[in-house]
Amino acid sequence: MKRVQLGATGIGIFPLIYGTLPLGPLQAGITPREGGRLIRHALEQGVTMLDTAALYGTYPHVREGLDGWRGEVTIATKTHAADAATARAHVEQALRELGRERLDIVHIHGARVADPFTERAEVLEALLTMKQEGKIAHVGFSSHYIEAFRKAVSHPEFEVVHPLINKNGMGILDGTAAEMAVAIAACARSGQGVYAMKALAGGNLIAEARQSMAFVAGLEGIHGVAVGMLSEQEIDANVAFFEREVMDEAVWQGLESRSRKLLIMEQFCKGCGKCIEICGSKALSLVGGKAVVDEAACVLCGYCGSGCPEFFIRVV
């Protein structure tokens, strides 16, 4: 299978990375057993890296998929903590729930953080301390801000970065796709491993999936692309593309005919506004005391659902 070096980390990966967000309660809400079955299928087809996060609720799915697995695997997780104590708790949780002695990559989960070096300085220090303790192999960060990656070039303590990029620039908070592409290339040239998120804009670009995937995979400095997959057919189609650039017309027409949306159970919404505070894309607002979504702005990440105290929001 094809292998790409993830920057200067020494980690070789298959360039398709399994994004586990859609498996968990923020999106499809499938069982750990079913999610684990899909993860195992991806590993058996040649995928070598999994992307998860404390926020996603998918550690049980990952552990199920890895149960008995003897092949190679790299796990990247994230902490959305704003302080050192919570960051340490998130790392300890990941180690415990994933059954690992060391985490391969831990990102500062900063979708709305433009400057992780000041806004998350305490968290960065905690992660670097845990790296010294042997609990983390590599420290990184994820963001929807171009500025964060521009700054990252001069910060080698971040060995891996996880930027949002798609051909329409949807979800980028401070510029265009072309500007983000320039920042990504600079990070890669500095030796940082780069793997992209939201190549399909959370599902908004499903109808143009082949074109959208090829755009991101072809950018200078992209070592891998994290893709959420909910069926063996999706996994097989994506593996074939990343391995041989093969795209079965009938299969991809079927995959591109799907649609996704953010479901808000308006009849139960109490208008607390917590989902609006979380939304980095500014796609949510209160209208008549109920949360409503601007579908043109929503990147279907599902993070808003984590803030709903009644669990009335989901990507479907």
Side-chain angles (χ1 to χ4, degrees):
M1 299 292 287
K2 182 187 296 184
R3 286 292 181 273
V4 177
Q5 290 298 306
L6 190 60
T9 63
I11 299 172
I13 62 167
F14 183 68
L16 172 64
I17 295 159
Y18 202 122
T20 66
L21 168 62
L23 301 176
L26 299 182
Q27 294 202 12
I30 68 176
T31 66
R33 182 174 182 179
E34 175 62 13
R37 186 187 67 79
L38 291 172
I39 289 170
R40 176 59 68 89
H41 179 76
L43 294 171
E44 291 171 347
Q45 301 313 303
V47 171
T48 63
M49 183 169 169
L50 312 175
D51 177 83
T52 183
L55 188 65
Y56 295 173
T58 57
Y59 291 161
H61 304 68
V62 173
R63 185 158 186 169
E64 184 80 20
L66 293 176
D67 184 30
W69 177 249
R70 295 294 179 262
E72 62 180 306
V73 65
T74 297
I75 302 175
T77 188
K78 312 177 192 75
T79 171
H80 55 284
D83 61 82
T86 306
R88 180 170 286 275
H90 284 167
V91 169
E92 297 288 357
Q93 175 196 10
L95 290 167
R96 182 175 62 254
E97 295 188 11
L98 293 171
R100 315 294 283 187
E101 294 183 359
R102 184 176 70 166
L103 301 171
D104 299 305
I105 301 166
V106 178
H107 294 290
I108 291 176
H109 200 169
R112 295 180 295 159
V113 176
D115 186 352
F117 314 102
T118 56
E119 297 177 59
R120 292 290 187 272
E122 182 181 335
V123 174
L124 174 56
E125 183 178 353
L127 295 182
L128 292 173
T129 297
M130 285 183 280
K131 180 181 176 182
Q132 292 177 339
E133 295 169 356
K135 295 180 178 181
I136 299 171
H138 305 284
V139 174
F141 77 88
S142 66
S143 180
H144 297 187
Y145 276 97
I146 300 165
E147 186 61 24
F149 301 103
R150 288 174 177 153
K151 292 178 182 296
V153 174
S154 57
H155 286 270
E157 59 267 42
F158 283 119
E159 299 170 87
V160 183
V161 295
H162 187 33
L164 182 154
I165 180 74
N166 55 70
K167 69 183 185 68
N168 291 4
M170 190 172 182
I172 297 173
L173 298 177
D174 60 344
T176 66
E179 291 169 325
M180 181 67 91
V182 170
I184 285 170
C187 286
R189 286 195 296 269
S190 75
Q192 289 162 324
V194 182
Y195 71 100
M197 69 169 112
K198 302 292 187 288
L200 302 184
N204 283 283
L205 299 178
I206 281 179
E208 307 166 68
R210 285 170 285 184
Q211 180 185 357
S212 302
M213 202 81 74
F215 170 82
V216 173
L219 289 173
E220 178 186 352
I222 293 291
H223 304 130
V225 182
V227 181
M229 298 173 283
L230 291 171
S231 71
E232 291 186 2
Q233 184 183 52
E234 285 182 79
I235 293 166
D236 294 345
N238 281 303
V239 167
F241 167 67
F242 280 92
E243 172 66 15
R244 303 182 300 278
E245 297 187 7
V246 173
M247 291 188 173
D248 184 282
E249 185 68 25
V251 170
W252 279 94
Q253 281 186 358
L255 293 174
E256 291 176 340
S257 68
R258 300 165 304 158
S259 63
R260 302 178 80 209
K261 66 178 181 178
L262 187 74
L263 175 65
I264 301 174
M265 302 178 198
E266 294 184 10
Q267 66 269 39
F268 302 116
C269 177
K270 297 178 180 178
C272 70
K274 293 187 183 298
C275 58
I276 296 170
E277 295 173 8
I278 290 173
C279 181
S281 301
K282 299 182 173 63
L284 294 172
S285 60
L286 287 178
V287 176
K290 303 286 186 181
V292 297
V293 59
D294 175 359
E295 294 184 356
C298 178
V299 296
L300 298 172
C301 63
Y303 291 176
C304 54
S306 68
C308 178
E310 309 296 337
F311 304 102
F312 292 149
I313 303 176
R314 178 173 289 184
V315 176
V316 297

